[in-house]
């Protein structure tokens, strides 16, 4: 029997709905919120209001695109955390009501696990799926983790940031440069034309497999402040080199710990996931590593890197098979827990 799952994602600033038939995506609709662009980051109150406006049209659109009727759905999977509470509540409330009205199971999904499980979405362009156990560098706007993925459900965080996340660092560096939010994709674009060695930003010395990015953020701030005193046009004249140097430093910080994790665990199957895995420099560096170190590298399709409901539906599908359903009383959580 074919299983149809509706996935709902509303943890941050994207409202998304997807329909999955088994592990194939029939529809994946995303409404981005432009409203945060000039605030330098997501404004939680504005995000939850925009989710409220977007959720019903996005779900209609996904069902239409999938060419199925809501009565054909077998379950509703939704992001229950981590994320912004007000944003999560919109998706959770809708998912609860919809599952109750349709009389089908409700499935709660951990957003960070879903980023990893996006690798299992069936796609003719990416027939190879990661083999267990594998390591996953999960890098987003709110999290930076090295995860030991044992199976579709057991995921152990073996390293994580002690302060800012990698995506947040891209966004904050962009903000200092006067670029709009989210700055990650803009830095990526500018970096392509710049020299990654133009500015030698310092690397943190953090024990174990953990990361720190707050020092980098501060050194970008001070470096640019000093340069601007000498030349008020410094950022405008050097934005490609600044972007390339910031991006290179973030990638090196990430890769050094990922190499260490591979060495310590002896695991050679290594994946990346989350919004920052859309970064072209990180993708290229992972492919180089595959050539040099004999890793088997897994890079998600671009559209499944940043936030989307396809990954939520995918995670929901595995839970559906296990009969792992949520109660109506389940409440969203803001911080990661595995
Ligand atoms: O996973 P995601 O879409 O949302 C969260 O769960 O946080 O990640 C968003 C983050 C943002 O910080 C954004 O700037 C970053 O991913 N990002 C990128 C790129 N695309 C998105 N960072 C660097 N290069 C990119 N191409
Ligand atoms: Zn995410």
């Amino acid at each position: 029997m074919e299983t149809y799952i509706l996935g709902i994602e509303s943890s941050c600033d994207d409202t998304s709905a997807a329909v999955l038939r088994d592990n194939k995506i029939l529809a994946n609709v995303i409404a981005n919120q432009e409203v945060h662009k000039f605030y330098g980051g997501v404004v939680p109150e504005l995000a939850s209001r925009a989710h409220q406006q977007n959720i019903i049209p996005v779900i209609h659109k996904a069902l239409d695109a999938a060419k199925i009727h809501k009565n054909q759905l077998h379950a509703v999977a939704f992001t229950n955390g981590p994320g912004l509470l007000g944003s999560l509540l919109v998706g959770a409330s809708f998912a609860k009501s919809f599952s109750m009205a349709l009389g089908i199971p409700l499935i709660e999904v951990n957003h960070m696990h879903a980023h990893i499980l996006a690798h299992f979405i069936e796609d003719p362009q990416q027939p190879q799926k990661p083999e267990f156990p594998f390591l996953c560098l999960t890098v987003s706007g709110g999290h930076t983790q090295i995860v030991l993925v044992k199976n579709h459900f057991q995921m152990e965080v073996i390293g994580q940031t002690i302060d800012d996340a990698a995506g947040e660092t891209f966004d904050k560096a962009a903000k200092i440069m006067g670029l709009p939010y989210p700055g990650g994709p803009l830095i990526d674009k500018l970096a392509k034309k710049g020299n990654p060695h133009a500015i030698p930003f310092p690397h943190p010395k953090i024990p174990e497999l953990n990361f720190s990015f707050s020092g980098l953020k501060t050194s970008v701030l001070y470096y640019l402040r000093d340069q601007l005193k000498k030349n008020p046009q410094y950022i405008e004249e050097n934005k490609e080199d600044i972007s390339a140097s910031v991006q290179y430093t973030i990638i090196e910080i990430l890769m050094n710990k990922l190499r260490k994790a591979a060495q310590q665990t002896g695991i050679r199957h290594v994946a990346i996931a989350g919004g920052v895995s859309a970064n072209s420099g990180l993708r290229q560096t992972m492919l180089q590593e595959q050539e040099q170190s004999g890793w088997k590298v897994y890079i998600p399709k671009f559209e499944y890197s940043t936030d989307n409901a396809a990954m939520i539906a995918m995670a929901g599908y595995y839970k559906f098979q296990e009969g792992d359903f949520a109660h109506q009383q389940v409440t969203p959580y803001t911080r990661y827990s595995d």
Side-chain angles (χ1 to χ4, degrees), residues 111 115 140-142 167-168 170-171 182-185 188 274-276 278-279 305-307:
H111 180 89
H115 269 303
S140 70
E168 197 179 350
F170 270 106
D171 297 337
D188 188 351
V276 179
N279 183 267
S305 304
T306 47
D307 285 353

Side-chain angles (χ1 to χ4, degrees), residues 232-244:
Q233 300 304 317
Y234 181 81
I235 294 179
E236 190 46 40
E237 287 168 9
N238 296 280
K239 55 183 188 289
E240 285 95 359
D241 281 352
I242 304 166
S243 299

Side-chain angles (χ1 to χ4, degrees), residues 177 186-187 190-191 238-248:
M177 289 168 67
L186 299 171
I187 291 203
L190 288 166
N238 296 280
K239 55 183 188 289
E240 285 95 359
D241 281 352
I242 304 166
S243 299
S245 302
V246 168
Q247 178 171 301
Y248 174 77

Side-chain angles (χ1 to χ4, degrees), residues 158-194:
I158 57 172
Q160 61 190 316
T161 183
I162 58 165
D163 42 54
D164 296 345
E168 197 179 350
T169 312
F170 270 106
D171 297 337
K172 284 182 177 166
K175 189 178 175 186
I176 298 168
M177 289 168 67
L179 300 171
Y181 176 85
L186 299 171
I187 291 203
D188 188 351
K189 204 169 155 200
L190 288 166
K192 288 187 179 135
K193 294 191 210 129

